[in-house]
Amino acid sequence: MRLLLLLLLVLASTPALADSNLPPAPLANVQLKDPAQERQAQALMLTLRCVVCQGQSIADSNAEMAGDMRALVRTRIAAGQSPETIRAWLIARYGDYVSYDPPLSAVTAPLWIAPLLLLALGVWLARASFRRRRRA
């Protein structure tokens, strides 16, 4: 019984251990002084997926990793790098998954083709159903 209780306690505490006690990255929650650069940073951050949350952009996520990625984007934009260069670097580092608009490749082809196949299947099933109703 004690072992089960200890296991439940460990499992319940794991989300609390997900973030460290370190302070956030310097530019994680601070906007750039140049409004044009901040607009570029915000536009880029909205197109990048948080690798921890998976359903949120790094602009919307409160995860520590998303804060680090926001700081990285702002630092590089402030240094004069283009959003395309930063995006390419992040994709090279984290893979196509970090982008909400992954390029068409052998790995991402199912993501692009599956909705079309499901739509075609739905049209085919609806057409068959309407034909049966007309005959009856």
Side-chain angles (χ1 to χ4, degrees):
M1 186 67 177
R2 286 184 182 179
L3 182 62
L4 180 62
L5 185 60
L6 180 64
L7 181 63
L8 287 173
L9 183 62
V10 168
L11 289 174
S13 67
T14 53
L17 300 174
D19 284 339
S20 71
N21 291 329
L22 297 174
L27 291 174
N29 302 313
V30 178
Q31 294 185 355
L32 295 172
K33 292 179 181 174
D34 182 1
Q37 287 182 334
E38 181 61 27
R39 272 194 303 274
Q40 282 183 323
Q42 284 292 329
L44 178 58
M45 289 187 282
L46 287 171
T47 67
L48 298 171
R49 185 188 319 264
C50 175
V51 294
V52 176
C53 303
Q54 300 177 359
Q56 291 181 311
S57 70
I58 64 171
D60 299 329
S61 174
N62 289 329
E64 184 176 357
M65 181 66 178
D68 292 343
M69 291 173 77
R70 284 192 304 271
L72 181 130
V73 166
R74 285 186 173 120
T75 301
R76 289 181 174 224
I77 293 242
Q81 288 187 6
S82 71
E84 294 79 25
T85 305
I86 300 167
R87 179 186 195 73
W89 184 85
L90 286 167
I91 289 173
R93 182 170 176 110
Y94 296 108
D96 290 330
Y97 180 77
V98 77
S99 173
Y100 274 120
D101 187 20
L104 184 58
S105 68
V107 175
T108 61
L111 296 173
W112 292 98
I113 295 171
L116 298 174
L117 291 176
L118 290 173
L119 182 63
L121 178 65
V123 168
W124 181 72
L125 288 172
R127 185 174 166 205
S129 175
F130 290 140
R131 282 186 179 176
R132 269 190 260 130
R133 287 183 185 178
R134 240 187 264 154
R135 289 183 198 157

